[in-house]
Amino acid sequence: MGSFRRDKDDEDEGTTNIYQHLEKTSVLQETRTFNDTPVNPRKCIQILTKILYLINQGEQLVAREATDCFFAMTKLFQSKDVVLRRMVYLGIKELSSIAEDVIIVTSSLTKDMTGKEDLYRPSAIRALCSITDNTMLQAVERYMKQCIVDKNPAVSCAALVSSLRLASTAGDVVKRWANEAQEALNSDNIMVQYHALGLLYHIRKSDRLAVSKLVNKLTRNSMKSPYAVCMLIRIACKLIEEEDTSAEDMPTSPMFTFIESCLRHKSEMVIYEAAHAIVNLKNTNARVLSPAFSILQLFCSSPKATLRFAAVRTLNKVALIHTAAVTTCNLDLEGLITDSNRSVATLAITTLLKTGAESSVERLMKQISTFVAEISDEFKVVVVQAICALCSKYPRKHTVLMNFLSGMLREEGGLEYKTSIVDTIITIIEENAEAKESGLSHLCEFIEDCEHVSLAVRILHLLGKEGPFANTPSKYIRFIYNRVILESPIVRAAAVTALAQFGASCPALMDNILVLLSRCQMDPDDEVRDRATYYLHLLQSNKADLYKHYIIERETCSLTLLEKALTEHLNGDLTTSFDLSIVPKTAIVKEEVPNEAMLISNAPRAPKITREEESAARLSQLPGVQVLGPIHRTTPSIQLTESETEYTVQCIKHIFANHVVFQFDCLNTLPDQILENVRVELTLPEGFRTLAVIPCPKLPYNDLQMTYVIVEFPGDIVSSAATFGATLRFVVKDCDPNTGEPDSDNGYEEEYMLEDLDITVADQIQKSKKSNFQAAWDSADTEEWIEAEDTYSLAAITTLQNAVSLILKFLGLGPANLSEKVPEGTHTHTLLCSGTFRGGVEVLVRAKLALADGVTMQLTVRSTDSGVAELVSSAIG
């Protein structure tokens, strides 16, 4: 134990990280010390610490380096130093996945695992299980069973947790340890009991009846471990959700009775877990929820910061689902605004903003104005998001909220914080036409002193899109041209584009814009000069069509797919010109906005990509797909089987201009079978034609594989919305569950019926958003556009909001506003939406809705194709 001692010189070094300048090569050379006789424990511990530090910092060891290091490490088993031995176990665990022939230490680890030194045994078990595979596990199975029921809690816990990890790779072997896990469940140690329950549930989770019996048995006996009771609550909740128990039957459910009884448990952890579980159940009513919310309200005034945080975070999460119940806690939440814990205060504010009444908006803004100045940018972002949600809920309060946001925008802050405010203001502008003028004015003032290039470019883009259609467009020109004079080349280029949009959309400002663009032709930056020249020539042509397609409504390409297409073009025949039309026009995907999870996680957010981008690389490898052209749309996956069946199949539809590629994701859940030549046979409606079936050669157990069917659409567009029958066909071969090898080369043909699948109108339409829908609608009132109109009575729909959601769902169109929300208390509403049908056919829709004994709708569709207009107009009926 002398290895724990520190010299006085070590203490004087302070908190400096002595490992930060390590080099892998020199550390690996130091491992030669492991061969010294006698072993120097202190020196070897330092070297092992360096190795573990390098691995955990992301340093990559090649197999040869890891193997040499591993074998050198095995020499340290001759030392009896306890700390060194435990460091060796850690090293074995870290290197086991990289080094070769690691099974050489099996006997040494087995000896330590079954020895009398209790300090060795838990770590030896963990290390042994990390190097054990399916073939070796049976050799140590007897020892593992003994360790699970060992009297030493540390040994028993190590064995249980290791068994749980082994269950993912050797589930059939671990299942045989259920009796030992059941015995460990009766332990007096709270951690042993908790881990034993976890292992038992994992073994039985595929058998719903067995899980139900386990829960019923344990709920009748009070468990000593609060951790185990918390897990039992979660398992009980899952069973309630699977049973789909109604709110009326909930109080009589044995599972719910147990959860409710846990609200009176002596452990605060269990009480919170029970309250959290109840408020997150799907089918509930006020009677069921009331005790849980009373507990959360009580925790809000707890002297313990952890309980306050847990309670307010749960209330925040369900605030929009159970608004009335959370509102009863508002007084307690207002008291938490000044809480010393900033996380608690921020969650309290955002919860109040979610549940606050319209009349209390001004009071809430005053309360949080002083608080916001004291918190970090991460918490400010969460507050800004809550304000955005509040403005969507109460659009008439946009003036108060916008002024508050503009004040925050003028304060000091980082890029992420300022971006969240700008995003919120833009969202308010797009959702609320009345807020456009004030919102654009606030943003104009911000870019006068904006140090973030990306934000300046976004705001200039917004000004170019919305500014020309404001009441007085000319007032924005000064702000935009100031950017041309004062800013960096990237911002100047964005300002030139914004000026061109004003010129194309506002004939009265054309002469002034031409003068400004001609001045931009003398800019020192190539990009700025090229843009100015390009737009100047377009505007001087006086052709409205050129304005529309190249300035006002520029189509958005997928940048990822554009880069891929350009790379392929450069690697191919350069004698032909690049065709931009081959690049899919994908819907814009907004970046995921950070939320309350920021308070507990600092993990980086991965950028979102469109489904089309995700599918393009995979489909490009399939024979015959390249000739179909660019992907128009990729639909979300739909389930064609029940999730518990022996074979599960999901379908994704990739829509092209004249074809559809059905992608079937197949999963075999039977360990004693291997499937070959797996394909899906479709029953085609009239007019459709199968071009190719691409089978999956082999489908092993628990391995997701794909099979494809390429189908051509009928020439008649009206017939393109249809239903397909589907049958899964394959060859079955029996196999060894442990090795996955087939018992023989002979198999037999089998088929499995799948649910029918549909191609709908929405599948064939890509959402779009017109910068000015009214202008686009008016310009479509020509002979080139076809108009179809019909009136529908939606008797089953009781609210205008439900009618709007239904229309957008069935038609697959994008609303003119960012989020089409119907103001409360209105009886009439006009829904404006647009999209692009496969093949590049534009679709504009205007739906006039009136509420009276159901919803009456007058649907008007304008499209450049008569078949598309007829198909879309009939989709609702």
Side-chain angles (χ1 to χ4, degrees), residues 524-780:
D525 185 76
D526 292 345
E527 172 73 15
V528 179
R529 288 198 308 272
D530 289 348
R531 287 199 188 194
T533 304
Y534 171 71
Y535 289 125
L536 197 60
H537 281 282
L538 284 176
L539 293 175
Q540 288 174 341
S541 68
N542 292 321
K543 294 182 179 178
D545 287 345
L546 293 180
Y547 295 173
K548 177 182 177 184
H549 293 296
Y550 295 101
I551 300 179
I552 301 173
E553 294 181 7
R554 292 167 296 158
E555 291 184 314
T556 304
C557 287
S558 164
L559 296 181
T560 304
L561 299 181
L562 175 60
E563 180 185 10
K564 179 176 179 293
L566 286 170
T567 303
E568 291 175 353
H569 176 72
L570 292 174
N571 294 333
D573 183 12
L574 295 179
T575 58
T576 59
S577 59
F578 179 74
D579 184 7
L580 187 62
S581 64
I582 67 170
V583 183
K585 306 297 187 292
T586 55
I588 297 173
V589 176
K590 293 189 71 177
E591 288 293 324
E592 186 176 358
V593 182
N595 52 29
E596 286 87 351
M598 271 189 167
L599 301 176
I600 57 171
S601 173
N602 293 319
R605 299 185 304 278
K608 279 197 171 183
I609 60 172
T610 62
R611 285 192 293 267
E612 290 76 17
E613 291 171 347
E614 189 178 348
S615 305
R618 182 168 61 247
L619 292 178
S620 65
Q621 307 300 320
L622 299 180
V625 171
Q626 292 83 354
V627 298
L628 304 183
I631 301 176
H632 173 68
R633 184 167 187 266
T634 295
T635 67
S637 62
I638 56 172
Q639 196 82 27
L640 299 184
T641 59
E642 297 292 335
S643 57
E644 297 84 9
T645 55
E646 54 268 40
Y647 313 115
T648 63
V649 180
Q650 291 181 324
C651 178
I652 298 174
K653 292 165 277 187
H654 306 285
I655 309 296
F656 293 78
N658 298 304
H659 304 80
V660 55
V661 177
F662 293 98
Q663 172 186 321
F664 298 96
D665 297 341
C666 306
L667 184 68
N668 171 24
T669 62
L670 299 178
D672 58 350
Q673 286 187 0
I674 185 170
L675 310 184
E676 295 183 353
N677 193 24
V678 182
R679 71 270 183 206
V680 173
E681 184 179 286
L682 295 177
T683 304
L684 302 182
E686 186 177 352
F688 287 86
R689 186 164 66 95
T690 300
L691 298 185
V693 177
I694 304 173
C696 167
K698 184 182 288 187
L699 185 60
Y701 164 65
N702 211 28
D703 187 13
L704 187 69
Q705 296 289 343
M706 292 86 173
T707 175
Y708 300 86
V709 181
I710 303 176
V711 175
E712 184 179 26
F713 278 109
D716 181 17
I717 290 178
V718 179
S719 305
S720 62
T723 301
F724 297 74
T727 305
L728 183 70
R729 298 189 183 276
F730 46 87
V731 175
V732 180
K733 289 185 179 179
D734 295 328
C735 68
D736 185 342
N738 295 322
T739 63
E741 294 297 324
D743 298 337
S744 68
D745 293 334
N746 298 324
Y748 54 92
E749 286 283 345
E750 187 64 88
E751 65 178 41
Y752 191 82
M753 295 300 297
L754 306 176
E755 293 185 12
D756 292 347
L757 59 113
D758 300 318
I759 289 184
T760 64
V761 174
D763 291 339
Q764 305 175 65
I765 292 180
Q766 183 67 271
K767 296 177 182 179
S768 67
K769 183 179 182 300
K770 298 295 181 184
S771 55
N772 188 306
F773 185 90
Q774 192 57 49
W777 181 263
D778 294 339
S779 65

Side-chain angles (χ1 to χ4, degrees), residues 142-401:
R142 178 166 60 90
Y143 302 123
M144 287 296 295
K145 286 183 176 180
Q146 291 172 357
C147 291
I148 288 175
V149 295
D150 197 276
K151 293 181 180 179
N152 187 315
V155 174
S156 182
C157 283
L160 288 165
V161 173
S162 298
S163 302
L164 192 57
R165 293 190 174 183
L166 286 171
S168 59
T169 55
D172 292 336
V173 178
V174 175
K175 283 180 180 178
R176 299 201 290 263
W177 306 347
N179 290 336
E180 285 72 21
Q182 185 71 54
E183 186 177 340
L185 195 60
N186 299 322
S187 170
D188 291 334
N189 185 276
I190 60 174
M191 295 310 297
V192 172
Q193 200 174 54
Y194 170 57
H195 290 137
L197 177 58
L199 180 59
L200 266 179
Y201 173 68
H202 189 84
I203 291 173
R204 300 179 180 179
K205 67 180 181 181
S206 56
D207 185 348
R208 191 176 177 282
L209 182 60
V211 173
S212 182
K213 287 181 178 179
L214 174 67
V215 174
N216 284 327
K217 178 183 176 182
L218 295 177
T219 53
R220 289 194 294 269
N221 304 322
S222 59
M223 302 182 73
K224 294 182 179 180
S225 171
Y227 304 105
V229 177
C230 288
M231 177 176 280
L232 201 59
I233 290 171
R234 295 184 183 186
I235 298 171
C237 282
K238 190 173 181 182
L239 290 173
I240 290 173
E241 296 291 354
E242 289 175 355
E243 290 173 357
D244 199 21
T245 308
S246 65
E248 291 74 18
D249 298 334
M250 192 75 75
T252 60
S253 167
M255 300 293 174
F256 181 79
T257 303
F258 161 69
I259 297 172
E260 192 175 35
S261 69
C262 290
L263 293 173
R264 297 176 290 278
H265 199 275
K266 61 182 179 180
S267 168
E268 292 173 333
M269 180 200 311
V270 174
I271 296 172
Y272 166 72
E273 186 65 39
H276 176 271
I278 291 173
V279 299
N280 282 285
L281 288 173
K282 290 181 182 176
N283 301 324
T284 52
N285 53 27
R287 179 187 169 191
V288 170
L289 293 172
S290 180
F293 276 106
S294 297
I295 293 294
L296 294 175
Q297 188 174 8
L298 192 66
F299 280 177
C300 283
S301 55
S302 170
K304 297 181 180 179
T306 50
L307 286 179
R308 296 199 304 274
F309 175 79
V312 73
R313 185 164 180 258
T314 303
L315 291 172
N316 183 282
K317 185 179 177 182
V318 300
L320 298 178
I321 303 170
H322 305 300
T323 307
V326 176
T327 303
T328 60
C329 307
N330 276 4
L331 284 176
D332 301 271
L333 292 171
E334 287 185 15
L336 294 177
I337 292 179
T338 55
D339 194 278
S340 57
N341 187 302
R342 297 292 85 184
S343 299
V344 173
T346 305
L347 284 168
I349 284 175
T350 53
T351 307
L352 286 169
L353 290 173
K354 288 178 181 179
T355 60
E358 190 169 10
S359 58
S360 65
V361 170
E362 288 88 348
R363 181 172 57 84
L364 278 174
M365 291 299 104
K366 288 179 182 178
Q367 278 184 297
I368 67 175
S369 58
T370 54
F371 161 82
V372 168
E374 301 171 2
I375 60 177
S376 63
D377 283 1
E378 288 80 8
F379 293 125
K380 288 179 182 177
V381 170
V382 180
V383 174
V384 169
Q385 290 173 324
I387 292 173
C388 180
L390 191 66
C391 200
S392 298
K393 188 177 180 181
Y394 303 121
R396 286 181 292 187
K397 293 293 182 180
H398 69 84
T399 304
V400 176
L401 298 174

Side-chain angles (χ1 to χ4, degrees), residues 796-814:
I797 307 299
T798 56
T799 66
L800 292 177
Q801 186 62 63
N802 289 346
V804 167
S805 302
L806 179 74
I807 295 166
L808 294 176
K809 175 184 175 183
F810 274 89
L811 301 185
L813 299 169

Side-chain angles (χ1 to χ4, degrees), residues 461-479:
H461 172 73
L462 180 72
L463 287 173
K465 187 176 72 170
E466 301 286 353
F469 309 106
N471 293 334
T472 53
S474 57
K475 70 179 182 181
Y476 303 112
I477 302 297
R478 173 174 64 86
F479 295 100

